[in-house]
Amino acid sequence: MSSAMLDKLKTYREKRDFSLTSEPSGGSLAPGGNIFVVQKHSSHSQHYDLRLEVDGVLKSWAVPKGPSLDPRDKRLAIETEDHPIEYASFEGTIPQGQYGAGTVEVWDRGCYQNMTQKDGLEISMKEALHSGHAAFRLEGKKLKGGYALTRTKRGWLLVKMKDDISQIKEP
Ligand code: MN
């Protein structure tokens, strides 16, 4: 594992005691994939954790209301620390007293395709997230099609793009 990767997971590791939690400490999987996962996390406040594999780690956001299929919904997505790739298959109970105590279950999982463009040219996910706007297509079981993450002053917003999968909720 490179020191750059260790550095990315520093915050993740500092928050956890791996002798007490069954969460992965990370670092055994080679980077290069494009996994996405949404984990339902029932802790002091239930939320959904959206994670996208970018350059060897899972970039992570806590989405209190979870992803929507309705393009009119702007779902707050609070950026959290990078997680190891192995976390994408983590399910279980984080013990009381530990960071994120509660249960974690995989709610949806699959691959994603970066669709972000700037001035008509494709840019990497790393560049996209740095610039504050990323567009990507999810290929999960529950979540499919285009989504956009946009950074605002009060956090990121996760919005479904209009496509043949989006659904406008009836009033
Ligand atoms: Mn969480």
Side-chain angles (χ1 to χ4, degrees):
M1 186 180 209
S2 69
S3 58
M5 201 72 73
L6 275 169
D7 202 47
K8 284 183 183 180
L9 294 174
K10 188 168 181 278
T11 306
Y12 173 86
R13 288 184 164 141
E14 282 172 355
K15 285 173 182 274
R16 290 167 176 81
D17 181 342
F18 297 106
S19 68
L20 296 174
T21 181
S22 57
E23 294 166 289
S25 59
S28 62
L29 290 183
N34 54 343
I35 293 169
F36 95 86
V37 66
V38 175
Q39 281 154 320
K40 188 176 174 183
H41 189 177
S42 304
S43 63
H44 62 282
S45 60
Q46 182 179 287
H47 57 273
Y48 294 79
D49 288 299
L50 167 67
R51 310 190 198 282
L52 301 172
E53 182 179 356
V54 180
D55 297 335
V57 293
L58 297 175
K59 304 302 288 184
S60 298
W61 295 263
V63 185
K65 290 185 177 175
S68 177
L69 295 175
D70 189 334
R72 296 173 304 180
D73 289 336
K74 292 177 170 58
R75 292 288 163 85
L76 179 66
I78 303 149
E79 191 171 10
T80 58
E81 76 276 18
D82 294 349
H83 280 50
I85 300 171
E86 292 91 331
Y87 210 95
S89 53
F90 174 74
E91 291 191 295
T93 300
I94 302 168
Q96 286 303 313
Q98 290 300 295
Y99 180 73
T103 59
V104 175
E105 62 184 282
V106 173
W107 183 79
D108 198 17
R109 188 187 154 141
C111 290
Y112 77 92
Q113 303 299 331
N114 176 23
M115 299 193 293
T116 319
Q117 295 194 348
K118 202 170 190 178
D119 304 325
L121 296 172
E122 286 183 22
I123 61 169
S124 69
M125 274 302 274
K126 184 183 176 182
E127 291 172 300
L129 293 174
H130 184 73
S131 76
H133 180 78
F136 46 90
R137 188 182 305 110
L138 297 179
E139 297 163 4
K141 290 203 171 80
K142 295 189 176 88
L143 300 177
K144 297 175 197 293
Y147 279 83
L149 268 171
T150 305
R151 190 166 52 216
T152 72
K153 278 177 186 158
R154 61 187 194 101
W156 292 77
L157 295 176
L158 176 68
V159 181
K160 178 79 189 82
M161 291 177 176
K162 283 189 188 126
D163 54 26
D164 55 351
I165 294 147
S166 58
Q167 293 173 12
I168 305 289
K169 285 191 295 253
E170 297 300 322

